[in-house]
Amino acid sequence: MAAFWHQRGRRQENGGLGSVIDGLGSVFDVLLANARLVLGVSGAAVLAIATLAVKRLIDRATSPRDEGDPKAEQKSLEESWQDLALIKTTPKAPKKQRREDLSEPLLSPAQPLVPGEAPASCDFSLLTDLRGCSAPLGTPQVKSSPLRCLTLQEKLLSHSNQLEVPEIQASLVPQLARSISTQLQNFLRSKCPELPFGRLFLRGALLDGLEVLAADHIHLMLPVVLDAGLWSLISGEDTVVRNPQYWMIKRIDLGYFPRGCSPWDRFIVGRYLSSSVLNETLHKLLVASINWPAIGSLLGCAIHPVVASRELKLEVKHDQVELSITLFPVVEMEDKVLLAVPPEGLVENLWLESFYRAEVLRVKELDAGDSGARQLCLRILNGVCRSQPSLHKLGGSPVTHVILHLSDTDADWAEESLADRFQQVLEELVAFLEKGVLPSYFNPKINLFSGLSEEEIDEMGFVLYRAVSEPEDLLK
């Protein structure tokens, strides 16, 4: 401030121009002193910035130039442009919209004036408010209706309608799969009459009303009928694998009933019925022994066995659908349903326990008891896992077991609570993934995440953790 008054004293020595500048300085000081009262805080700030820029211009114009400095003039011009830019870029205080303005009527079309006659009345305040409007005064303004924000409940119900399997697939796929099943059954009876295979049957989410988006895969179950007096089950927990989800089928009483008494003795490895040997035998039959082109032409489709797959899989191409059929030898003993799906590794005598039938029956039983939306929630979650590549292995049994666990703690599964239950399932899945353990609903010793790698668990947990706060993102 002392430098400012010293500079002001120097300007007074310059004669009349200094007195004029002093007068302008006094005016600015008065304006700045009263700006806060008149213009408010934001207006006073704007006026202060503009005043400072003008004072710099005046100081630069009245201060003597250094003749020995050739860049003085250029420097002065640059500083002047900076000050002008300061004035132009000064933010304008936004105009506050009054609540009363929202209720004011639109401006009526202008009436023609009679020569020599003044207008009856003119609302200058309204014209002032409309001055910033870009639309012409004569153009009627239409109020846009606000967009309706859907709740999570409404989005879930709307999304469930988009998961419906096309009617042509829902009717054609089971029919086509049953026809292929009949042909395969006839071949096995003629080719392997000594093996007591049971009647083939279909299984899958499509038949249980839980399939979503497309009916492009189905399971074909091949029962392996065993004599209970010659075979017994041993839990995988009591073997070297230490996994209660797998079982071994042991041949017993070989002293009284030697090898050859059972038609399945040809598939024994170390006194245990080998799921791997049985699968290899069936794989050879599917690939090399069955005339699939002839069967396909009879059924109006093309059937190709997948040679490179460890699974017993058929690819079916029809004019209207493309279908993948997976064949599973299945053993039912002691209330257990065991599939010939051995784990990867050197152990080839293990059979995987399947809870699919128990899962579906339990979910439908609970929904029938309280008119719940468990099946609807399960279908939506299966659709989410199907559409998200990182969540593919989470669909099916893991999601079903989480819903069954929640059904024991929360009884409100009405359709009105679908959004709450959906959110809760996501939170429970994240919690289980954090632990890396999802206990089976039917056997708590079984960890349904045991077949997942740490990278897969981390990726799925990350996706679902983000979805907990924004569950709508999963429905896109």
Side-chain angles (χ1 to χ4, degrees), residues 66-307:
D66 297 334
E67 295 180 357
D69 187 4
K71 297 182 180 180
E73 183 176 357
Q74 179 67 21
K75 182 178 180 181
S76 177
L77 290 175
E78 292 178 358
E79 292 176 349
S80 300
W81 279 111
Q82 293 175 1
D83 292 337
L84 289 176
L86 179 63
I87 297 176
K88 290 183 179 179
T89 57
T90 301
K92 297 181 179 180
K95 179 182 177 181
K96 294 184 178 179
Q97 188 176 15
R98 298 175 301 172
R99 185 182 299 271
E100 304 86 64
D101 295 342
L102 300 177
S103 61
E104 290 182 358
L106 295 175
L107 184 65
S108 59
Q111 300 294 333
L113 294 177
V114 180
E117 180 180 355
S121 62
C122 182
D123 192 349
F124 289 100
S125 62
L126 182 58
L127 290 175
T128 304
D129 292 339
L130 292 175
R131 188 174 299 169
C133 182
S134 59
L137 295 180
T139 303
Q141 300 181 4
V142 180
K143 296 182 179 179
S144 60
S145 58
L147 295 177
R148 181 169 174 261
C149 296
L150 298 178
T151 63
L152 177 59
Q153 175 80 10
E154 294 170 332
K155 291 180 180 179
L156 289 173
L157 294 176
S158 175
H159 184 72
S160 66
N161 296 329
Q162 303 173 9
L163 299 176
E164 295 293 336
V165 176
E167 184 177 355
I168 184 64
Q169 294 185 15
S171 59
L172 180 59
V173 165
Q175 178 182 353
L176 191 59
R178 289 189 180 96
S179 299
I180 295 175
S181 172
T182 301
Q183 296 296 325
L184 182 58
Q185 185 87 64
N186 295 335
F187 171 80
L188 292 176
R189 287 177 178 176
S190 61
K191 184 70 175 180
C192 309
E194 73 282 2
L195 296 178
F197 287 111
R199 184 174 184 82
L200 285 161
F201 62 93
L202 304 181
R203 175 172 292 174
L206 174 64
L207 303 177
D208 297 314
L210 301 176
E211 185 61 276
V212 293
L213 299 177
D216 56 359
H217 66 280
I218 201 166
H219 295 163
L220 188 57
M221 315 306 291
L222 177 61
V224 176
V225 181
L226 299 178
D227 186 350
L230 300 178
W231 304 90
S232 65
L233 299 182
I234 299 178
S235 173
E237 192 177 10
D238 300 329
T239 64
V240 293
V241 295
R242 300 297 179 186
N243 191 337
Q245 193 171 1
Y246 289 93
W247 293 77
M248 301 183 75
I249 304 176
K250 184 178 181 180
R251 178 70 158 84
I252 59 175
D253 293 335
L254 287 175
Y256 296 97
F257 304 97
R259 285 177 180 263
C261 293
S262 172
W264 303 107
D265 287 343
R266 55 187 287 193
F267 303 105
I268 288 179
V269 175
R271 296 187 63 177
Y272 296 96
L273 182 62
S274 174
S275 54
S276 297
V277 175
L278 179 58
N279 279 337
E280 291 174 1
T281 302
L282 291 174
H283 190 273
K284 293 177 181 178
L285 293 176
L286 291 178
V287 173
S289 301
I290 303 179
N291 189 358
W292 291 115
I295 296 176
S297 62
L298 179 64
L299 301 179
C301 61
I303 306 175
H304 302 283
V306 181
V307 179

Side-chain angles (χ1 to χ4, degrees), residues 410-475:
D410 199 319
D412 185 11
W413 280 88
E415 187 173 301
E416 294 77 12
S417 303
L418 176 61
D420 295 335
R421 299 290 80 77
F422 181 84
Q423 181 88 27
Q424 194 173 3
V425 171
L426 295 181
E427 295 173 357
E428 290 294 318
L429 280 172
V430 171
F432 286 128
L433 287 169
E434 287 179 348
K435 299 176 182 177
V437 177
L438 173 57
S440 169
Y441 179 80
F442 302 100
N443 186 356
K445 296 181 180 180
I446 296 176
N447 177 19
L448 298 181
F449 288 162
S450 60
L452 301 177
S453 64
E454 292 184 3
E455 291 77 11
E456 291 173 333
I457 290 178
D458 291 341
E459 185 176 5
M460 290 188 293
F462 177 72
V463 172
L464 293 178
Y465 179 78
R466 292 188 305 172
V468 168
S469 58
E470 296 291 339
E472 296 87 352
D473 293 343
L474 294 177
L475 307 179

Side-chain angles (χ1 to χ4, degrees), residues 30-42:
V30 173
L31 289 175
L32 290 175
N34 296 277
R36 180 172 297 183
L37 297 176
V38 178
L39 302 178
V41 177
S42 59

